[in-house]
Amino acid sequence: MNTQVRITDVAPRDGLQAETTIVATDRKANLVRALHATHVDEIEVSSFVSPKWIPQLGDAKELFAMIAAEKPQGIIYSALVPNQRGLQGALAVNAHARQEHGVERLIDKVSVFTAASEGFSLKNTNATIEETLIRFAPVIDQAHHHGLMVRGYISCIVRCPFDADISPVQVANVASRLLDLGIDELDLGDTIGAATPETLEPVIMEVVDRLEGNATNPFGDPTLTVHLHDTFGHASECVKMALELGVRSFDSAAGGLGGCPYASTETSRAPGNLSTLQLLHTITEMGYSTKVDLDAMAAASKIASELLP
Ligand code: HMG
Ligand code: MG
């Protein structure tokens, strides 16, 4: 049995995108540097989205330029792109890093994002699910043309703050569409931390069915990733269940930072991502392993926590 689990730390992106404080670029760079030392598999560094929508990440280009010469071997850098404009931003960063630092490919992966619910899709991207998928088709093709991997996120896989409960079939239908468009990795997001093992299991089962046995993508990594938020304290139980179902890739955030701005309602703010240290603890407790250095992750988590007031 494969006991190796892949970890993507999303703190610099998902951790900071919803904060009222806009963190200075050099402090974000320090967090990314601290994550280098952890040997995490992937760092989701930032997003190439509209700065009118997410001003917190409006410095993506500057941040990548700041760390371009320091990227270690073996760590993947990824960034969110909602449309072709976003992909152009990522490609421009790569061209600059190649020219200035001789880095073959600074950003290795771009992530497109849609939702299982129409309400969330509209609030998050001003587009229906169908419209987001139409936008993604050329983005995915062009990303592949430039040798980039593509992750496809589905938000609100269990519950939506606007449309209530989501059926597993609905999630699997969106998953099928993304897989048909050619994504290399499917990321299931429990955006508001509503999942319990009982509600998450049928979603994973339904989606795994649509993967048709493709547990590994052409890059040799797991095709399915699970992205949990720990709102009601169920994330660790969900990780245990997902591991038992065969999931071998998870997202988490150093310091448990973050949440999604459009997952909040007027009365309740979307809470943090599952903390990476907590995830590592659960994985080890279950007898699985990762490449991550625990002491280095503790140090990175401290730096992450100190970024916000
Ligand atoms: P729109 O307003 O419908 O589109 O936004 P638009 O085409 O009219 O663009 C508005 C302005 O943004 C224009 O500028 C565009 O040029 C510009 P203006 O002409 O007014 O000066 N623009 C851009 N600028 C920079 N980069 C771009 C870009 N595109 C347009 N890529 C849009 C549509 C999709 C752009 C907008 O809704 C958007 O950026 N949304 C991003 C929202 C976001 O980042 N949400 C958080 C990520 S999802 C999440 O956190 C969930 C996840 O963690 C999983 C989980 O937890 O479940 C992934
Ligand atoms: Mg998230």
Coordinates of all heavy atoms in Angstrom, one line a residue, residues 179-249:
L179 N -12.5 17.2 -15.6 CA -11.6 16.1 -16.1 C -11.6 16.0 -17.6 O -10.6 15.9 -18.3 CB -12.0 14.8 -15.5 CG -11.7 14.7 -14.0 CD1 -12.5 13.5 -13.3 CD2 -10.2 14.5 -13.7
D180 N -12.8 16.2 -18.2 CA -12.9 16.2 -19.7 C -12.2 17.4 -20.3 O -11.7 17.3 -21.4 CB -14.4 16.3 -20.1 CG -15.2 15.0 -19.8 OD1 -14.5 14.0 -19.5 OD2 -16.4 15.0 -19.9
L181 N -12.1 18.5 -19.6 CA -11.3 19.6 -20.1 C -9.8 19.4 -20.0 O -9.0 20.2 -20.6 CB -11.7 20.9 -19.3 CG -13.1 21.5 -19.6 CD1 -13.3 22.7 -18.6 CD2 -13.1 22.0 -21.0
G182 N -9.4 18.4 -19.3 CA -8.0 18.0 -19.3 C -7.2 18.4 -18.1 O -5.9 18.3 -18.1
I183 N -7.9 18.7 -16.9 CA -7.1 19.1 -15.8 C -6.3 17.8 -15.3 O -6.6 16.7 -15.6 CB -8.0 19.5 -14.6 CG1 -9.0 18.4 -14.2 CG2 -8.6 20.9 -14.9 CD1 -9.6 18.6 -12.8
D184 N -5.1 18.1 -14.7 CA -4.2 17.0 -14.2 C -4.5 16.6 -12.8 O -4.1 15.6 -12.3 CB -2.8 17.5 -14.3 CG -2.4 18.0 -15.7 OD1 -2.5 17.2 -16.6 OD2 -2.2 19.2 -15.8
E185 N -5.2 17.6 -12.0 CA -5.5 17.3 -10.6 C -6.8 17.9 -10.3 O -7.1 19.0 -10.7 CB -4.4 18.0 -9.8 CG -4.5 17.8 -8.3 CD -3.6 18.7 -7.5 OE1 -2.8 19.5 -8.2 OE2 -3.6 18.7 -6.3
L186 N -7.6 17.2 -9.6 CA -8.9 17.6 -9.1 C -8.8 17.9 -7.6 O -8.4 17.1 -6.9 CB -9.9 16.6 -9.4 CG -11.4 16.9 -9.0 CD1 -12.0 18.0 -9.9 CD2 -12.2 15.6 -9.1
D187 N -9.2 19.1 -7.2 CA -9.1 19.5 -5.8 C -10.5 19.8 -5.3 O -11.2 20.7 -5.7 CB -8.2 20.7 -5.7 CG -7.8 20.9 -4.2 OD1 -8.5 20.6 -3.3 OD2 -6.6 21.4 -4.0
L188 N -10.9 19.0 -4.3 CA -12.3 19.1 -3.7 C -12.2 20.0 -2.5 O -11.6 19.6 -1.5 CB -12.8 17.7 -3.3 CG -13.0 16.7 -4.5 CD1 -13.5 15.4 -3.9 CD2 -13.9 17.2 -5.6
G189 N -12.9 21.1 -2.6 CA -12.8 22.1 -1.5 C -14.1 22.1 -0.6 O -15.2 22.4 -1.1
D190 N -13.9 21.8 0.7 CA -14.9 22.0 1.7 C -14.8 23.5 2.2 O -14.3 23.7 3.3 CB -14.8 21.0 2.8 CG -15.9 21.3 3.9 OD1 -16.9 21.9 3.6 OD2 -15.6 20.9 5.0
T191 N -15.2 24.4 1.4 CA -14.9 25.8 1.5 C -15.2 26.4 2.9 O -14.5 27.3 3.4 CB -15.6 26.6 0.4 OG1 -15.5 25.9 -0.8 CG2 -15.1 28.0 0.3
I192 N -16.4 25.9 3.4 CA -16.8 26.5 4.7 C -16.7 25.6 5.9 O -17.2 25.8 7.0 CB -18.3 27.1 4.6 CG1 -19.2 25.9 4.2 CG2 -18.3 28.2 3.6 CD1 -20.7 26.3 4.3
G193 N -15.9 24.5 5.6 CA -15.7 23.6 6.8 C -16.9 22.8 7.3 O -17.0 22.5 8.4
A194 N -17.8 22.6 6.4 CA -19.1 22.0 6.8 C -19.0 20.4 6.8 O -19.9 19.8 7.4 CB -20.2 22.4 5.8
A195 N -18.0 19.9 6.2 CA -18.0 18.4 6.1 C -17.8 17.7 7.4 O -17.1 18.1 8.3 CB -16.8 18.0 5.1
T196 N -18.4 16.5 7.4 CA -18.1 15.5 8.5 C -17.7 14.3 7.7 O -18.0 14.2 6.5 CB -19.4 15.2 9.3 OG1 -20.4 14.7 8.4 CG2 -19.9 16.4 10.0
P197 N -17.1 13.2 8.3 CA -16.8 12.0 7.6 C -18.1 11.5 6.9 O -18.0 11.0 5.8 CB -16.3 11.1 8.7 CG -15.7 12.0 9.7 CD -16.6 13.2 9.7
E198 N -19.2 11.6 7.5 CA -20.5 11.0 6.9 C -20.9 11.8 5.7 O -21.4 11.2 4.8 CB -21.6 11.1 8.0 CG -21.5 10.2 9.2 CD -20.3 10.6 10.1 OE1 -20.1 11.8 10.3 OE2 -19.7 9.7 10.7
T199 N -20.7 13.1 5.7 CA -21.1 13.8 4.5 C -20.0 13.9 3.4 O -20.3 14.0 2.2 CB -21.5 15.3 4.8 OG1 -20.5 15.9 5.6 CG2 -22.8 15.3 5.7
L200 N -18.8 13.7 3.8 CA -17.7 13.8 2.8 C -17.5 12.5 2.0 O -17.2 12.5 0.9 CB -16.4 14.2 3.5 CG -15.2 14.5 2.6 CD1 -15.5 15.6 1.6 CD2 -13.9 14.8 3.4
E201 N -17.7 11.4 2.8 CA -17.4 10.1 2.2 C -18.2 9.9 0.8 O -17.6 9.5 -0.2 CB -17.7 9.0 3.1 CG -17.4 7.6 2.5 CD -17.5 6.4 3.5 OE1 -17.7 6.7 4.7 OE2 -17.4 5.3 3.1
P202 N -19.5 10.1 0.8 CA -20.2 9.9 -0.5 C -19.7 10.8 -1.6 O -19.8 10.4 -2.8 CB -21.7 10.2 -0.1 CG -21.7 10.8 1.2 CD -20.4 10.5 1.9
V203 N -19.2 12.0 -1.2 CA -18.7 12.9 -2.3 C -17.5 12.3 -2.9 O -17.3 12.2 -4.1 CB -18.4 14.3 -1.7 CG1 -17.8 15.2 -2.8 CG2 -19.6 14.9 -1.0
I204 N -16.6 11.8 -2.0 CA -15.3 11.2 -2.5 C -15.6 10.0 -3.3 O -15.0 9.8 -4.4 CB -14.3 10.9 -1.3 CG1 -13.9 12.3 -0.7 CG2 -13.1 10.2 -1.8 CD1 -13.0 12.1 0.5
M205 N -16.5 9.2 -2.8 CA -16.8 7.9 -3.5 C -17.3 8.2 -4.9 O -16.9 7.6 -5.9 CB -17.9 7.1 -2.8 CG -17.4 6.7 -1.4 SD -16.2 5.4 -1.4 CE -17.2 4.0 -1.7
E206 N -18.3 9.2 -5.0 CA -18.9 9.5 -6.3 C -17.8 10.1 -7.3 O -17.8 9.8 -8.5 CB -20.0 10.6 -6.0 CG -20.9 10.8 -7.2 CD -21.9 9.7 -7.4 OE1 -22.4 9.1 -6.4 OE2 -22.2 9.4 -8.6
V207 N -16.9 10.9 -6.7 CA -15.9 11.5 -7.6 C -14.9 10.5 -8.0 O -14.4 10.4 -9.2 CB -15.2 12.7 -6.8 CG1 -14.0 13.1 -7.6 CG2 -16.2 13.9 -6.7
V208 N -14.5 9.6 -7.1 CA -13.5 8.5 -7.4 C -14.0 7.7 -8.6 O -13.3 7.3 -9.5 CB -13.1 7.7 -6.2 CG1 -12.4 6.4 -6.6 CG2 -12.3 8.5 -5.2
D209 N -15.3 7.5 -8.6 CA -16.0 6.7 -9.7 C -15.7 7.4 -11.0 O -15.4 6.7 -12.0 CB -17.5 6.7 -9.4 CG -18.1 5.4 -9.8 OD1 -17.5 4.4 -9.6 OD2 -19.2 5.5 -10.3
R210 N -15.8 8.7 -11.0 CA -15.6 9.5 -12.3 C -14.1 9.5 -12.7 O -13.8 9.8 -13.8 CB -16.1 10.9 -12.2 CG -17.5 11.1 -11.6 CD -18.5 10.6 -12.6 NE -19.8 10.7 -12.0 CZ -20.7 11.6 -12.3 NH1 -20.5 12.5 -13.2 NH2 -21.9 11.7 -11.7
L211 N -13.2 9.2 -11.8 CA -11.8 9.2 -12.1 C -11.4 8.0 -13.0 O -10.4 7.9 -13.6 CB -10.9 9.2 -10.9 CG -10.9 10.5 -10.0 CD1 -10.0 10.4 -8.8 CD2 -10.4 11.7 -10.9
E212 N -12.3 7.0 -12.9 CA -12.2 5.8 -13.7 C -10.8 5.1 -13.5 O -10.1 4.8 -14.5 CB -12.4 6.1 -15.2 CG -13.9 6.5 -15.5 CD -14.1 7.0 -16.9 OE1 -13.1 7.2 -17.6 OE2 -15.2 7.2 -17.2
G213 N -10.4 5.0 -12.3 CA -9.1 4.3 -12.0 C -7.9 5.2 -12.1 O -6.8 4.7 -11.8
N214 N -8.0 6.4 -12.6 CA -6.8 7.3 -12.7 C -6.5 7.9 -11.4 O -6.6 9.1 -11.2 CB -7.1 8.4 -13.8 CG -7.2 7.8 -15.2 OD1 -6.4 6.9 -15.5 ND2 -8.1 8.3 -16.0
A215 N -5.9 7.1 -10.5 CA -5.5 7.6 -9.2 C -4.3 8.5 -9.3 O -4.0 9.3 -8.4 CB -5.3 6.5 -8.2
T216 N -3.5 8.3 -10.3 CA -2.3 9.1 -10.5 C -2.4 9.8 -11.8 O -2.8 9.3 -12.8 CB -1.1 8.1 -10.5 OG1 -1.2 7.3 -9.4 CG2 0.2 8.9 -10.5
N217 N -1.9 11.1 -11.9 CA -1.9 11.9 -13.1 C -0.6 11.7 -13.9 O 0.3 11.0 -13.5 CB -2.2 13.4 -12.8 CG -1.1 14.0 -12.0 OD1 0.1 13.6 -12.2 ND2 -1.4 15.0 -11.2
P218 N -0.6 12.2 -15.1 CA 0.6 12.0 -16.0 C 1.9 12.5 -15.3 O 3.0 12.1 -15.8 CB 0.3 12.8 -17.2 CG -1.2 13.0 -17.3 CD -1.6 13.0 -15.8
F219 N 1.9 13.3 -14.3 CA 3.1 13.8 -13.6 C 3.5 12.9 -12.5 O 4.4 13.1 -11.7 CB 2.9 15.2 -13.2 CG 2.6 16.1 -14.3 CD1 1.3 16.4 -14.6 CD2 3.6 16.7 -15.1 CE1 1.0 17.3 -15.7 CE2 3.3 17.5 -16.2 CZ 2.0 17.8 -16.5
G220 N 2.7 11.8 -12.3 CA 3.0 10.8 -11.2 C 2.5 11.2 -9.9 O 2.8 10.6 -8.9
D221 N 1.7 12.3 -9.8 CA 1.1 12.7 -8.5 C -0.3 12.2 -8.4 O -1.0 11.9 -9.4 CB 1.1 14.2 -8.4 CG 2.5 14.8 -8.2 OD1 3.4 14.1 -7.6 OD2 2.8 15.9 -8.7
P222 N -0.9 12.2 -7.2 CA -2.3 11.8 -7.1 C -3.2 12.7 -7.9 O -3.0 14.0 -7.9 CB -2.5 11.9 -5.6 CG -1.2 11.9 -4.9 CD -0.2 12.5 -5.9
T223 N -4.2 12.2 -8.5 CA -5.1 13.0 -9.3 C -6.1 13.7 -8.4 O -6.6 14.8 -8.7 CB -5.9 12.1 -10.3 OG1 -5.0 11.2 -10.9 CG2 -6.7 12.9 -11.3
L224 N -6.4 13.1 -7.2 CA -7.4 13.7 -6.3 C -6.7 14.4 -5.1 O -5.9 13.7 -4.4 CB -8.4 12.7 -5.9 CG -9.5 13.1 -5.0 CD1 -10.4 14.2 -5.7 CD2 -10.4 11.9 -4.6
T225 N -7.1 15.6 -4.8 CA -6.6 16.3 -3.6 C -7.9 16.7 -2.8 O -8.9 17.0 -3.4 CB -5.8 17.5 -4.0 OG1 -4.6 17.1 -4.6 CG2 -5.4 18.4 -2.8
V226 N -7.7 16.7 -1.5 CA -8.8 17.2 -0.7 C -8.4 18.4 0.1 O -7.3 18.5 0.7 CB -9.4 16.1 0.3 CG1 -10.3 16.6 1.3 CG2 -10.0 15.0 -0.6
H227 N -9.2 19.5 0.1 CA -8.9 20.8 0.7 C -10.0 21.1 1.8 O -11.1 21.4 1.5 CB -9.0 21.8 -0.5 CG -8.8 23.2 -0.1 ND1 -7.8 24.0 -0.5 CD2 -9.7 24.1 0.5 CE1 -7.9 25.3 -0.1 NE2 -9.1 25.3 0.5
L228 N -9.5 21.0 3.0 CA -10.5 21.1 4.1 C -10.3 22.4 4.9 O -9.1 22.9 5.1 CB -10.3 19.9 5.1 CG -10.6 18.6 4.4 CD1 -10.1 17.4 5.3 CD2 -12.1 18.4 4.2
H229 N -11.4 22.9 5.4 CA -11.3 24.0 6.4 C -11.9 23.4 7.7 O -12.7 22.5 7.7 CB -12.2 25.2 5.9 CG -11.6 25.9 4.7 ND1 -11.2 27.2 4.7 CD2 -11.4 25.5 3.4 CE1 -10.7 27.6 3.6 NE2 -10.8 26.5 2.7
D230 N -11.4 24.0 8.8 CA -11.6 23.3 10.1 C -12.7 24.1 11.0 O -12.6 24.0 12.2 CB -10.3 23.2 10.9 CG -10.4 22.1 11.9 OD1 -11.2 21.2 11.7 OD2 -9.6 22.1 12.9
T231 N -13.6 24.7 10.3 CA -14.6 25.5 11.0 C -15.2 24.9 12.2 O -15.3 25.5 13.3 CB -15.8 25.8 10.0 OG1 -15.3 26.0 8.7 CG2 -16.6 26.9 10.5
F232 N -15.7 23.6 12.1 CA -16.4 23.0 13.2 C -15.6 21.9 13.8 O -16.1 21.0 14.5 CB -17.8 22.5 12.7 CG -18.6 23.6 12.1 CD1 -18.8 23.7 10.7 CD2 -19.1 24.6 12.9 CE1 -19.5 24.7 10.2 CE2 -19.9 25.6 12.4 CZ -20.1 25.7 11.0
G233 N -14.3 21.9 13.6 CA -13.4 20.9 14.2 C -13.5 19.5 13.6 O -13.1 18.5 14.3
H234 N -14.1 19.3 12.4 CA -14.2 18.0 11.9 C -13.1 17.6 10.8 O -13.1 16.5 10.3 CB -15.6 17.8 11.2 CG -16.7 18.0 12.1 ND1 -16.9 17.2 13.2 CD2 -17.8 18.8 12.1 CE1 -18.0 17.5 13.8 NE2 -18.5 18.5 13.2
A235 N -12.2 18.6 10.6 CA -11.3 18.3 9.5 C -10.4 17.1 9.7 O -10.2 16.3 8.8 CB -10.4 19.6 9.3
S236 N -9.9 16.9 10.9 CA -9.0 15.7 11.2 C -9.7 14.4 11.0 O -9.2 13.5 10.4 CB -8.4 15.8 12.6 OG -7.5 16.9 12.6
E237 N -11.0 14.3 11.4 CA -11.8 13.1 11.2 C -12.0 12.9 9.7 O -12.0 11.7 9.2 CB -13.2 13.2 11.8 CG -13.3 13.5 13.3 CD -14.7 14.0 13.6 OE1 -15.7 13.4 13.2 OE2 -14.8 15.1 14.2
C238 N -12.2 14.0 9.0 CA -12.4 13.8 7.5 C -11.1 13.4 6.9 O -11.2 12.6 5.9 CB -12.8 15.2 7.0 SG -14.5 15.6 7.4
V239 N -9.9 13.9 7.3 CA -8.7 13.4 6.8 C -8.5 11.9 7.0 O -8.1 11.2 6.1 CB -7.5 14.2 7.4 CG1 -6.1 13.5 7.0 CG2 -7.5 15.6 7.0
K240 N -8.8 11.4 8.2 CA -8.7 10.0 8.5 C -9.5 9.2 7.5 O -9.1 8.2 7.0 CB -9.1 9.7 9.9 CG -8.1 10.2 11.0 CD -8.6 9.9 12.4 CE -7.6 10.6 13.4 NZ -8.1 10.5 14.7
M241 N -10.8 9.6 7.4 CA -11.7 8.9 6.5 C -11.2 8.9 5.1 O -11.2 7.9 4.4 CB -13.1 9.5 6.6 CG -14.2 8.9 5.8 SD -14.2 9.5 4.1 CE -14.5 11.2 4.4
A242 N -10.7 10.1 4.6 CA -10.2 10.2 3.2 C -9.0 9.3 3.0 O -8.8 8.7 2.0 CB -9.9 11.7 2.9
L243 N -8.1 9.3 4.0 CA -6.9 8.4 3.9 C -7.3 7.0 3.7 O -6.8 6.2 2.9 CB -6.0 8.5 5.1 CG -5.1 9.8 5.2 CD1 -4.6 9.9 6.7 CD2 -4.0 9.8 4.2
E244 N -8.3 6.6 4.5 CA -8.8 5.2 4.4 C -9.4 4.9 3.0 O -9.4 3.8 2.5 CB -9.7 4.9 5.5 CG -9.0 4.5 6.8 CD -9.8 4.4 8.1 OE1 -11.0 4.8 8.0 OE2 -9.2 3.9 9.1
L245 N -10.0 5.9 2.4 CA -10.6 5.7 1.1 C -9.6 5.8 0.0 O -9.9 5.5 -1.2 CB -11.6 6.8 0.8 CG -13.0 6.7 1.5 CD1 -13.9 7.9 1.0 CD2 -13.7 5.4 1.3
G246 N -8.3 6.1 0.3 CA -7.2 6.1 -0.7 C -6.8 7.5 -1.1 O -5.9 7.6 -2.0
V247 N -7.3 8.5 -0.5 CA -6.8 9.9 -0.9 C -5.4 10.1 -0.4 O -5.1 9.7 0.8 CB -7.7 11.0 -0.3 CG1 -7.2 12.4 -0.5 CG2 -9.2 10.8 -0.9
R248 N -4.5 10.6 -1.2 CA -3.1 10.7 -0.9 C -2.6 12.1 -1.1 O -1.3 12.3 -1.3 CB -2.2 9.7 -1.7 CG -2.5 8.2 -1.3 CD -2.0 7.9 0.1 NE -2.3 6.5 0.4 CZ -3.4 6.0 1.0 NH1 -4.4 6.9 1.3 NH2 -3.6 4.8 1.2
S249 N -3.4 13.1 -1.2 CA -3.0 14.5 -1.4 C -4.0 15.4 -0.7 O -5.2 15.3 -0.9 CB -3.0 14.7 -2.9 OG -2.6 16.1 -3.1

